[in-house]
Amino acid sequence: MVRVRFAPSPTGKLHIGGARTALFNWLYAQATGGKFILRIEDTDKLRSRQEFVDEILESLCWLGFLHDEIYYQSQRTDIYLEYAQRLLRQGKAYTEKSPAGSGEAIIYKVVPQKIKIDDLIRGTIEFDATTIKDQVLVKSDGTATYNFACVVDDALLSITHVIRGDDHISNTPKQVLLYQALGFKVPAFAHLPLILRKEGGRLSKRTGATAISDYRRAGYLASALVNYLLLLSWSPGADREIIDIKEAIKLFDIRDVNKTAATFDLKKLDWMNNQYIKTSDSHWLLEQLIPVLKEKGLIREGDFDANYLLSLVKLFQPRLARLNDFAEWADFFLLPEITIDEAAQDKFLKNDLSREFQLFSEKIDGLKDFNVESIERCFRELIKELNIESRVLIHPIRVALTGKTVGPGLFEIIYYLGKERTKERLANFIRQERR
Ligand code: GLU
């Protein structure tokens, strides 16, 4: 049975690179009916933090990568020591006093040789291990090193496939040497290609990559993010880009993962997110948004009209790249007073349009059937009567009503603002102009 693992070090939050590694491990387990194991590599006491463990677990859960088993390396110290002792007894390792005099390190005596692995993604890779220096297994403070703990655990947890980022490729020959020394079966390896930034350079924890939890907070949907991560290194074929995870499970094989580096492109992710938002259930989107709207003070607990909010969500849904942009884009529907963007004011409200606004306001007021079509009709009439082009009025009215230059169609905006608020906002503006 396939047993794969994701082995994050809780020295930071879960980022795009780690999430992609987790995805491909999880996906391979799903595709093969295997097990997905989570191993928290928290041997570095100084840099590991509980808050990062919590964060990683929460992000994995949000993405839907649920583990079948979980292990913490900090709880397995005795096991590593036992295996290090065994290598000592067999004469395959030696001890070395620390220069400070406190404690002894256990060091593996490297047997120079050439090592060959059949990487499931990259094919055969040959390493010249004649240049590898003796390896520290246990540091003088009694903690196991990454390479040693990793091999002991992967072997004892019966990991069949080690799927991880290309950045670990230099560790692989060292680990193969340790498997052999310990008499363990060497697992299959699959090294995922690098992720590059669009601006060039590698995407790493340090190069400003955003944490998964930050994407979540910004209003990316887990399903969209997972689809995007998937496409970073795999394709369902036929230039398809939108693929449901259930279908991906049916089609996926680790051997089909791309060999070439992936490029992380935020614009593409935004596009993908919009594709998912567009087709999401509006009620569900509203549920996600309610806490955000509360937090931003746009609605108050127990004091909002859910049906009205739902119609607003439907109005914005087709154009949202990030769900939480809704709070900013739709604020003028929810706030009693709007603030007019200064640039928009300069651009569209420089000329005195008091008369035009007044006439439009009167027409709106006179509408018996107040709906999107009738609003549009009365706008078209006014344009004709004044013998002006629609753009002369359409942008200024939008800015006066919303404070913004972009958004949904003007007539829909007016409809959802309602007659009274539309008149009020136009009137405010007329007064301002006359002052
Ligand atoms: N703790 C290592 C990391 O976070 C795991 C490497 C591996 O998968 O072997 O990069």
Side-chain angles (χ1 to χ4, degrees):
M1 188 211 269
V2 166
R3 287 175 61 86
V4 289
R5 85 310 192 266
F6 175 54
S9 308
T11 53
K13 298 178 177 180
L14 184 69
H15 288 75
I16 290 289
R20 185 199 53 169
T21 303
L23 164 64
F24 282 101
N25 276 285
W26 176 83
L27 190 57
Y28 192 52
Q30 306 309 307
T32 54
K35 294 270 184 260
F36 174 60
I37 290 142
L38 186 59
R39 185 170 72 229
I40 305 295
E41 302 211 322
D42 53 354
T43 49
D44 185 337
K45 289 196 195 83
L46 282 176
R47 291 171 57 229
S48 299
R49 300 228 299 260
Q50 184 59 40
E51 63 184 89
F52 292 136
V53 175
D54 297 342
E55 228 265 350
I56 292 168
L57 290 175
E58 213 176 292
S59 292
L60 289 173
C61 178
W62 178 66
L63 291 168
F65 310 153
L66 304 183
H67 55 264
D68 297 299
E69 297 166 26
I70 184 168
Y71 301 91
Y72 290 82
Q73 284 193 327
S74 58
Q75 296 168 3
R76 298 169 61 83
T77 313
D78 293 349
I79 302 176
Y80 310 134
L81 288 180
E82 187 190 318
Y83 280 91
Q85 292 295 341
R86 187 183 291 189
L87 290 176
L88 271 180
R89 281 198 303 276
Q90 294 172 343
K92 293 177 181 169
Y94 56 91
T95 56
E96 199 170 271
K97 275 231 167 328
S98 90
S102 60
E104 276 181 344
I106 303 177
I107 298 165
Y108 169 64
K109 236 186 283 175
V110 169
V111 185
Q113 59 187 287
K114 291 228 191 302
I115 289 167
K116 205 169 91 177
I117 65 156
D118 292 316
D119 190 285
L120 294 173
I121 298 170
R122 303 181 26 150
T124 305
I125 313 176
E126 294 198 42
F127 301 94
D128 181 5
T130 52
T131 54
I132 295 178
K133 295 197 197 76
D134 286 358
Q135 295 291 303
V136 177
L137 305 177
V138 178
K139 292 182 253 179
S140 55
D141 66 1
T143 57
T145 56
Y146 155 69
N147 277 322
F148 185 56
C150 181
V151 167
V152 171
D153 279 345
D154 283 343
L156 297 186
L157 304 177
S158 308
I159 300 302
T160 54
H161 297 72
V162 171
I163 305 170
R164 61 184 170 201
D166 238 353
D167 49 332
H168 283 289
I169 204 136
S170 61
N171 289 318
T172 302
K174 297 174 189 166
Q175 295 185 0
V176 171
L177 288 174
L178 294 174
Y179 280 105
Q180 290 170 351
L182 291 159
F184 291 144
K185 184 169 182 278
V186 182
F189 287 97
H191 289 93
L192 302 167
L194 284 181
I195 306 177
L196 302 174
R197 292 188 306 152
K198 196 126 194 273
E199 312 74 51
R202 280 183 45 188
L203 187 79
S204 72
K205 288 181 195 171
R206 275 165 285 280
T207 46
T210 316
I212 297 301
S213 52
D214 292 329
Y215 286 105
R216 181 184 185 179
R217 218 165 293 124
Y220 289 90
L221 306 189
S223 49
L225 199 51
V226 169
N227 192 154
Y228 182 74
L229 292 170
L230 190 58
L231 283 201
L232 271 182
S233 306
W234 180 76
S235 157
D239 286 336
R240 265 184 79 191
E241 301 200 284
I242 304 294
I243 179 162
D244 182 75
I245 194 68
K246 287 202 194 74
E247 206 191 331
I249 289 171
K250 291 201 194 106
L251 298 174
F252 184 75
D253 189 332
I254 191 73
R255 290 161 192 85
D256 297 336
V257 170
N258 301 339
K259 290 183 189 49
T260 47
T263 305
F264 182 77
D265 180 355
L266 193 59
K267 279 218 180 74
K268 184 76 188 270
L269 173 59
D270 283 352
W271 172 83
M272 179 77 77
N273 205 44
N274 171 256
Q275 298 297 310
Y276 275 81
I277 290 176
K278 259 193 226 176
T279 51
S280 287
D281 174 55
S282 313
H283 288 89
W284 181 79
L285 291 177
L286 177 59
E287 265 171 47
Q288 313 304 305
L289 277 169
I290 284 182
V292 179
L293 298 176
K294 279 185 193 156
E295 192 191 303
K296 305 227 184 236
L298 293 170
I299 58 172
R300 266 183 315 196
E301 185 72 53
D303 185 26
F304 57 85
D305 179 346
N307 280 330
Y308 181 59
L309 287 179
L310 186 66
S311 46
L312 296 184
V313 168
K314 286 184 179 156
L315 183 61
F316 283 90
Q317 199 175 338
R319 59 191 78 224
L320 287 172
R322 288 164 302 242
L323 184 58
N324 297 2
D325 285 348
F326 176 85
E328 205 179 303
W329 291 15
D331 62 352
F332 63 88
F333 280 116
L334 304 168
L335 294 170
E337 304 252 338
I338 55 165
T339 35
I340 301 206
D341 181 76
E342 215 170 295
Q345 170 132 7
D346 283 356
K347 190 157 176 213
F348 296 113
L349 292 169
K350 262 200 324 266
N351 303 329
D352 182 2
L353 292 166
S354 296
R355 189 171 81 96
E356 291 82 353
F357 277 19
Q358 184 63 41
L359 290 172
F360 185 56
S361 184
E362 283 163 16
K363 273 192 184 290
I364 291 282
D365 190 42
L367 276 180
K368 273 202 199 69
D369 281 329
F370 185 75
N371 56 45
V372 178
E373 291 75 37
S374 65
I375 295 163
E376 172 157 13
R377 219 177 305 120
C378 87
F379 178 81
R380 303 275 170 228
E381 267 170 36
L382 180 66
I383 295 297
K384 223 172 175 178
E385 285 162 24
L386 294 173
N387 195 21
I388 53 174
E389 281 183 62
S390 55
R391 65 177 166 81
V392 177
L393 264 190
I394 212 154
H395 299 301
I397 294 178
R398 174 193 293 281
V399 173
L401 297 180
T402 71
K404 306 175 206 300
T405 53
V406 287
L410 178 63
F411 311 120
E412 284 168 305
I413 288 176
I414 293 174
Y415 175 69
Y416 287 108
L417 265 181
K419 230 186 217 185
E420 291 316 310
R421 283 199 292 178
T422 300
K423 278 163 38 193
E424 210 176 276
R425 285 186 191 179
L426 288 172
N428 276 341
F429 211 82
I430 296 164
R431 274 201 296 278
Q432 239 178 46
E433 284 289 312
R434 284 183 180 152
R435 229 179 269 148

